[in-house]
Amino acid sequence: MASASPNAEESPVDKYDGSDAGSAPASLEDPWYDVPVDHWGDWDGDAAGEPVAVPPPRAAPGDRTDEVYLAVQRSPEFREVRSQYRRFVVPAAVAFLGWYLAYVIAATAAPGLMARQVAGAVNVALLAGLGQFATTFLLTWAYARHARLRRDQAALDLRWDVTMQTRRDSNL
């Protein structure tokens, strides 16, 4: 924190009062956004209520980026990565949604069952609710493990191929 003493050296952050909203001191400028954008922050449109039209990025002459991405999308390697993803996600999502709906339906349709004491103040509803949390963490762990073991390397290889092809095409 800045010292209250008048002789204390202040940092540029302490000196900046934010009164000039259009610019910040050089020490506070974000180096990652060094190119100003005309429509930055115009999420709701202009003053007349019209949406701001953001022009699509222009492709350089001879740019084959679209062709490269379409070729990768049609490749058997990409299809295999997507297939492995779907083989895990669809059954897991259906099972988890079914488990969640069973919990909600049981809580509304069978309150006597959910209120049944298991041990002391712990009842079936409390155990089922804790089970929801446990299965959420278990599913997250299983998804991360599945991705790491079955998809990540193939996806990184595809990404590397695309990067190299688009870089090579842009250097022509």
Side-chain angles (χ1 to χ4, degrees):
M1 288 189 73
S3 172
S5 152
N7 296 334
E9 188 173 322
E10 293 180 341
S11 72
V13 174
D14 295 332
K15 291 179 183 178
Y16 182 63
D17 64 355
S19 60
D20 184 14
S23 65
S27 62
L28 293 179
E29 289 179 9
D30 190 351
W32 296 104
Y33 294 99
D34 57 348
V35 178
V37 178
D38 294 340
H39 59 276
W40 190 262
D42 291 342
W43 299 101
D44 296 327
D46 61 6
E50 296 295 321
V52 174
V54 178
R58 291 186 224 165
D63 186 16
R64 297 182 337 111
T65 304
D66 293 345
E67 295 171 20
V68 170
Y69 283 108
L70 289 173
V72 168
Q73 186 178 8
R74 291 184 205 112
S75 72
E77 295 87 4
F78 181 80
R79 288 182 182 172
E80 180 60 26
V81 169
R82 294 296 297 169
S83 174
Q84 288 176 352
Y85 171 77
R86 285 188 201 108
R87 276 187 293 221
F88 180 85
V89 168
V90 171
V94 168
F96 188 77
L97 185 60
W99 161 227
Y100 174 73
L101 289 175
Y103 173 72
V104 171
I105 290 169
T108 57
L113 170 70
M114 298 299 271
R116 184 170 294 155
Q117 297 292 325
V118 175
V122 177
N123 59 17
V124 173
L126 182 62
L127 290 178
L130 292 173
Q132 291 286 319
F133 282 104
T135 54
T136 300
F137 290 112
L138 180 66
L139 185 60
T140 303
W141 170 81
Y143 175 80
R145 183 177 185 274
H146 178 269
R148 185 182 71 247
L149 295 177
R150 298 209 172 93
R151 293 191 328 265
D152 284 354
Q153 189 59 48
L156 285 172
D157 292 343
L158 282 170
R159 186 180 301 160
W160 179 257
D161 291 343
V162 168
T163 301
M164 296 313 292
Q165 287 178 20
T166 55
R167 181 175 292 163
R168 181 180 33 208
D169 291 343
S170 66
N171 290 335
L172 292 178

